[in-house]
Amino acid sequence: MRKNFAVIGDPIEHSMSPIMHNDLFQFYGLDAEMKKIHIKKDFLQSGLSELRDMNMAGFNVTVPHKQAIIPFLDELDPLSKAIGAVNTVVCENGRWIGYNTDGEGYLKGLLKQLPDIKQRRTFIIGSGGAARGIYFTLAHYGVEQVDICNRTISKAKALKEACPYPVKTNIMEIALAEKTLGEYGLIIQTTSIGMSPKIDASPIQMSNVMEGAFVSDIIYNPLETKILKDAKAKGAITQNGIDMFVYQGALAFEKWQGVFPDTTRMRQNVLTQLGGLTC
Ligand code: ATR
């Protein structure tokens, strides 16, 4: 029997998850299909009850429903509970179980390029939902020091206080962060600043970044944000958000199908969709 999957969000038209997963279903010979389902921000409850009737095997959850969906789930895994957000739901015998593969997907993509992160002094720019998943996952993994800067300091402080895993964290304003950036071996940009179409924007000046530092941006459109360009010009090694997107999808696929899929294939597929050549 065909297994039905979906990605829900508002807006949803831009989502590349169906292209990525449908290609994998075909590649692995699975009778399954993923569709985009538009559930408007204020209609989550009624949208989910329609989804219950559609006999789903699983679905991805994207903005703005990642936190709001939690009360409608039957079970939450511990990391998604700590993060307070869900991007993947597994439907098993009518029970909906929520997971968060964003933070872990980010970590997997990072470790592929940079295996020695535990002792690397790490810096996160931003304190929104994406920062939360990444910060908690890094702390859970055992990264010793993760400092944070954010436009709104109170949000960065709240993030630090909410983290249930042990990690050393200093909170600072953007102006101070710009001066001390040279002390960090790993810098992670988690805000939406620099995303297409405002590609000349940057949340922070990169002039003091250390040569050889690893600078990672979760944005993948454009493939090279201003922050990455500036960091590269200073001799940093850079990574865009494609790996995070691919690995969060790969981990969701594994939860649904029991197989960890071919991430090289997924990456190539996403790059083709984005019209990129290499990255
Ligand atoms: P997401 O859930 O996708 O992470 P979010 O919760 O809206 O999105 O968080 C966006 C992040 O981008 C926050 O860190 C936000 O800073 P504030 O906490 O001060 O709002 C940051 N951000 C958004 N617009 C910004 C801007 N113009 N300048 C600096 N930071 C900005």
Side-chain angles (χ1 to χ4, degrees):
M1 201 173 72
R2 171 162 283 214
K3 285 187 177 175
N4 298 317
F5 294 91
V7 53
I8 64 164
D10 178 25
I12 198 62
E13 219 23 71
H14 67 286
S15 173
M16 285 193 296
S17 293
I19 288 174
M20 194 164 73
H21 285 284
N22 287 331
D23 172 69
L24 290 175
F25 295 151
Q26 201 180 15
F27 182 63
Y28 290 104
L30 301 164
D31 186 12
E33 187 186 9
M34 180 185 270
K35 288 188 174 141
K36 293 175 194 172
I37 298 186
H38 186 194
I39 298 184
K40 287 196 179 159
K41 189 172 190 296
D42 297 328
F43 293 88
L44 181 60
Q45 187 163 11
S46 55
L48 289 178
S49 79
E50 280 176 34
L51 210 60
R52 286 251 181 213
D53 294 339
M54 289 161 77
N55 192 26
M56 288 287 152
F59 57 96
N60 276 144
V61 184
T62 188
V63 177
H65 302 311
K66 288 187 184 188
Q67 284 150 308
I69 194 164
I70 289 178
F72 301 100
L73 300 174
D74 299 297
E75 203 179 314
L76 266 187
D77 90 316
L79 188 59
S80 66
K81 192 172 187 176
I83 295 168
V86 160
N87 78 322
T88 300
V89 176
V90 176
C91 311
E92 260 173 19
N93 306 318
R95 284 177 62 74
W96 284 7
I97 306 154
Y99 297 90
N100 188 311
T101 70
D102 285 331
E104 214 191 320
Y106 176 78
L107 180 64
K108 262 191 177 295
L110 180 65
L111 291 174
K112 198 184 72 168
Q113 307 235 16
L114 197 69
D116 64 328
I117 59 166
K118 286 190 185 170
Q119 277 83 41
R120 249 185 210 238
R121 209 159 161 199
T122 298
F123 193 72
I124 290 181
I125 302 155
S127 298
R132 194 175 166 97
I134 292 172
Y135 175 54
F136 286 15
T137 307
L138 292 179
H140 182 247
Y141 180 70
V143 179
E144 288 171 7
Q145 176 153 1
V146 184
D147 294 346
I148 305 173
C149 83
N150 194 44
R151 178 180 60 176
T152 313
I153 284 286
S154 59
K155 281 208 204 159
K157 284 188 181 153
L159 193 61
K160 175 182 172 177
E161 270 148 36
C163 185
Y165 309 111
V167 56
K168 274 185 261 164
T169 297
N170 298 310
I171 305 291
M172 65 191 87
E173 299 197 357
I174 292 176
L176 177 61
E178 285 173 345
K179 287 191 197 130
T180 58
L181 219 51
E183 295 171 12
Y184 297 92
L186 171 58
I187 298 165
I188 306 165
Q189 196 304 106
T190 70
T191 78
S192 52
I193 313 286
M195 194 185 280
S196 180
K198 294 187 181 166
I199 60 168
D200 293 327
S202 171
I204 191 166
Q205 293 287 331
M206 297 303 278
S207 37
N208 288 327
V209 73
M210 193 195 337
E211 190 179 338
F214 192 90
V215 180
S216 161
D217 195 326
I218 67 164
I219 294 173
Y220 56 80
N221 187 13
L223 290 172
E224 191 173 57
T225 52
K226 177 163 186 337
I227 219 177
L228 292 188
K229 266 189 208 141
D230 293 350
K232 205 187 250 178
K234 288 278 163 188
I237 299 152
T238 60
Q239 178 189 41
N240 65 25
I242 295 272
D243 283 324
M244 179 180 179
F245 178 65
V246 163
Y247 278 95
Q248 65 73 34
L251 289 165
F253 186 91
E254 185 182 35
K255 293 198 186 306
W256 293 329
Q257 303 286 4
V259 178
F260 191 80
D262 179 346
T263 49
T264 306
R265 181 181 179 89
M266 295 169 78
R267 184 187 169 82
Q268 197 49 54
N269 190 2
V270 173
L271 279 175
T272 306
Q273 300 308 317
L274 288 169
L277 299 170
T278 53
C279 75

